Amino acid sequence: MQYLVNVIDSRSNSGTADEMVAIDAFNDKLRAGGHWVFAAGLTDPTSSTVIDGRGDTPVITDGPFVETKEWAAGFWIIEAPDLEVALALMTEGSKACNRRLELRQVLAG
């Protein structure tokens, strides 16, 4: 199973040098265990663009689709055999990045 893990933060580019070292070590552990799929940081939500193409004329607006105090500042996509393993892994990930994480299973398409 694959899981999307959102890194929750209230600031952009807030990772310290020590956190980046811990995140790199955690990413190496994910790779070594066969759990790594992909990970990345995200720009500040104020730089986002919302696209709504549901109507006859698409509507494109600047900024986040919701106003909030916290947002997804980055993410991992991981492989894990079940939720228990994913939770154990990302408990370590939360400690490594010093942020709260949101874990969601990716639905097969």
Side-chain angles (χ1 to χ4, degrees), residues 9-44:
D9 204 345
S10 60
R11 302 161 295 147
S12 294
N13 298 315
S14 63
T16 66
D18 288 343
E19 289 168 347
M20 298 312 294
V21 168
I23 291 165
D24 287 343
F26 178 69
N27 287 342
D28 289 343
K29 179 180 178 172
L30 289 175
R31 286 182 189 99
H35 302 290
W36 175 269
V37 176
F38 185 77
L42 297 170
T43 60
D44 187 277

Side-chain angles (χ1 to χ4, degrees), residues 1-5 34-38 76-83 86 103-109:
M1 289 184 261
Q2 290 188 336
Y3 294 88
L4 168 67
V5 182
H35 302 290
W36 175 269
V37 176
F38 185 77
W76 278 280
I77 297 176
I78 63 165
E79 296 259 359
D82 56 43
L83 179 59
L103 177 75
R104 297 172 68 181
Q105 186 177 353
V106 175
L107 300 175

Side-chain angles (χ1 to χ4, degrees), residues 23-83:
I23 291 165
D24 287 343
F26 178 69
N27 287 342
D28 289 343
K29 179 180 178 172
L30 289 175
R31 286 182 189 99
H35 302 290
W36 175 269
V37 176
F38 185 77
L42 297 170
T43 60
D44 187 277
T46 59
S47 69
S48 66
T49 303
V50 178
I51 301 119
D52 186 350
R54 296 175 293 175
D56 292 334
T57 304
V59 177
I60 299 173
T61 54
D62 292 334
F65 75 100
V66 294
E67 296 295 328
T68 182
K69 294 179 182 179
E70 296 179 311
W71 55 82
F75 65 93
W76 278 280
I77 297 176
I78 63 165
E79 296 259 359
D82 56 43
L83 179 59

